[in-house]
Amino acid sequence: MTQSKSVNPGIFPLLLFGYSLAVLGAELLIAHEAAGALVFAIFIAAIGESIGGLWEISQGKTYLGSVVTTFGIWLFGLFMLETVGQVLGLVTSQALATYFLVLLVPIILLGYPAFKNQLGWQIQGAFVFLFLLVLFAGVNFIITSSVLNLAAGTSAWLAAICIWLLAAEDIFAIDIGSDIETTSAEIGETQHLE
């Protein structure tokens, strides 16, 4: 059975990934008091990206699946660090900087195929802005700077836009009409067999 054009597991992890980045950008650039919203945006993105990425991998889409699963699990760790880590007294500037800056290596490794295979400016832009976001945010934990904060927030918004544009391509390709017709035909065949 062929997969329906209305079934695309890559849409919701991309939407949630962009959502968490947009909330991060808002927290860094506009409303520093929105840190609570950011913690929960990180949490829902972690769940959505992890589930969606594993679903993508199960459908044979290992590249996108690996990308969103990696970031989803990383976000879950960040959520744990920001919540449980606070309670246990484990959150320090050095801990946050380390947690962010070490992610630069997976970003480079996961981004390499996007550039090597010329997958499109949206995914390439997402990797560039994610790299810059993590770099600026990680360094900002060590040397607090309004310029680094501004650069990290801007990078978060630009990465969110690129990721949402990736999701939009898949959303605009959805053909629900043919899916409804196919489902109706399958229901009719099943009823006829009974």
Side-chain angles (χ1 to χ4, degrees):
M1 184 171 142
T2 60
Q3 184 175 355
S4 166
K5 289 185 179 180
S6 67
V7 176
N8 188 336
I11 293 172
F12 75 90
L14 290 174
L15 290 174
L16 291 174
F17 195 0
Y19 171 75
S20 66
L21 289 166
V23 173
L24 172 61
E27 192 267 337
L28 291 173
L29 297 173
I30 299 171
H32 301 297
E33 298 80 24
L38 177 59
V39 170
F40 287 101
I42 288 169
F43 181 65
I44 64 161
I47 292 171
E49 287 178 55
S50 298
I51 293 170
L54 292 174
W55 187 3
E56 283 277 308
I57 291 169
S58 75
Q59 299 294 312
K61 299 176 182 177
T62 56
Y63 180 61
L64 180 60
S66 297
V67 170
V68 294
T69 302
T70 299
F71 284 106
I73 293 170
W74 183 86
L75 284 172
F76 185 71
L78 181 60
F79 172 77
M80 295 301 290
L81 181 60
E82 290 285 352
T83 56
V84 176
Q86 287 284 1
V87 173
L88 298 175
L90 301 174
V91 180
T92 64
S93 296
Q94 293 81 9
L96 288 166
T98 302
Y99 195 78
F100 271 71
L101 293 174
V102 174
L103 183 64
L104 293 173
V105 175
I107 291 173
I108 292 168
L109 294 174
L110 289 169
Y112 175 75
F115 289 92
K116 178 185 174 202
N117 298 299
Q118 299 176 348
L119 296 182
W121 67 268
Q122 299 93 333
I123 194 163
Q124 292 173 351
F127 276 111
V128 168
F129 293 122
L130 285 169
F131 181 89
L132 293 173
L133 162 63
V134 170
L135 177 65
F136 294 143
V139 173
N140 196 38
F141 288 123
I142 300 167
I143 51 169
T144 305
S145 161
S146 59
V147 173
L148 288 172
N149 200 58
L150 176 66
T154 303
S155 297
W157 274 350
L158 292 171
I161 290 168
C162 290
I163 290 169
W164 279 339
L165 288 172
L166 279 172
E169 285 180 2
D170 289 339
I171 291 168
F172 297 149
I174 292 173
D175 185 2
I176 292 178
S178 65
D179 185 48
I180 292 171
E181 292 166 13
T182 303
T183 303
S184 297
E186 289 172 357
I187 291 171
E189 285 178 22
T190 304
Q191 290 174 346
H192 178 58
L193 293 173
E194 294 173 353

